[in-house]
Amino acid sequence: HLQLEYGDYWICSFLSIYFFGLSVISFGNSSVFKGNWMPRPYIEETELSKSNKHAEKELFLKLRSHMETEKPYLDPHLSVAKLAKQLDLPDSKLSRLINKFGEATFFDFVNGYRVEEVKAKIANHQNDHLSLLGIALDSGFNTKASFNRTFKKFEGKTPSQFRKELIPKREV
């Protein structure tokens, strides 16, 4: 059993105050009290995530360029896996890029290009002899029902209404 003498209390008190003071000074200089509470590895991750975001944005721009030049959406059986393979990307990364930067699901992203293709073909008077279903199938849709549903979702009108509105403008 330890017995302290009167002088020992002074030494213990002094050491307690000394270490308490050191800890206050240490914490006062700490980034915790300056609002910068993130540990350094997290900050480095944040900086890395900024460069990753830039790299992801570049990949998304590459995807859009591929969609516009190669027109893979014309394939009615296009899948995430097929498109990812064309771009040499993992399926999950391609899907994430479309969700993040395209703000759409894979199918809405692809169908958006298909609808624009249909609109361009309808607008071209050289295609007036083609049926809407023929144009839809040539644009990558594989059923009449999915074509009509998707076109109305994107344009707010049926393909027939779109064509009727366009033809009188062309004849004037």
Side-chain angles (χ1 to χ4, degrees):
H1 186 236
L2 181 66
Q3 285 215 333
L4 296 176
E5 303 267 332
Y6 182 71
D8 293 336
Y9 285 111
W10 280 105
I11 292 173
C12 288
S13 297
F14 173 75
L15 288 174
S16 295
I17 292 169
Y18 177 76
F19 285 116
F20 178 75
L22 277 178
S23 62
V24 167
I25 290 168
S26 296
F27 281 119
N29 289 329
S30 169
S31 62
V32 170
F33 293 105
K34 293 181 181 175
N36 187 7
W37 54 269
M38 291 185 288
R40 188 66 195 157
Y42 183 78
I43 292 170
E44 289 169 1
E45 279 180 27
T46 303
E47 290 165 0
L48 284 174
S49 70
K50 286 179 185 175
S51 66
N52 274 350
K53 187 172 183 177
H54 180 71
E56 285 180 336
K57 185 73 171 175
E58 290 295 319
L59 283 174
F60 182 72
L61 293 174
K62 179 182 172 185
L63 165 64
R64 286 186 48 198
S65 174
H66 179 74
M67 294 296 283
E68 292 163 12
T69 57
E70 301 301 316
K71 299 187 176 192
Y73 56 85
L74 296 176
D75 174 4
H77 304 291
L78 184 66
S79 65
V80 175
K82 277 186 181 179
L83 187 56
K85 187 173 182 178
Q86 292 172 13
L87 295 165
D88 197 28
L89 290 173
D91 301 6
S92 59
K93 185 162 191 143
L94 175 62
S95 187
R96 190 172 54 251
L97 288 172
I98 292 170
N99 294 164
K100 185 174 184 178
F101 296 105
E103 297 178 352
T105 65
F106 171 77
F107 292 106
D108 282 346
F109 181 75
V110 170
N111 283 336
Y113 281 95
R114 290 174 176 157
V115 167
E116 290 304 313
E117 184 77 15
V118 167
K119 287 169 47 182
K121 287 179 179 177
I122 291 173
N124 184 342
H125 69 86
Q126 293 177 342
N127 293 324
D128 286 349
H129 68 285
L130 296 175
S131 70
L132 287 172
L133 181 58
I135 291 173
L137 296 175
D138 286 346
S139 301
F141 288 100
N142 53 12
T143 68
K144 182 178 179 179
S146 70
F147 164 59
N148 285 326
R149 182 179 56 252
T150 303
F151 194 95
K152 186 158 186 167
K153 176 181 177 181
F154 279 84
E155 295 302 313
K157 58 184 94 175
T158 66
S160 302
Q161 291 170 325
F162 182 84
R163 188 178 225 178
K164 284 178 189 172
E165 290 173 7
L166 198 61
I167 289 175
K169 291 178 187 174
R170 199 180 301 142
E171 291 175 348
V172 172

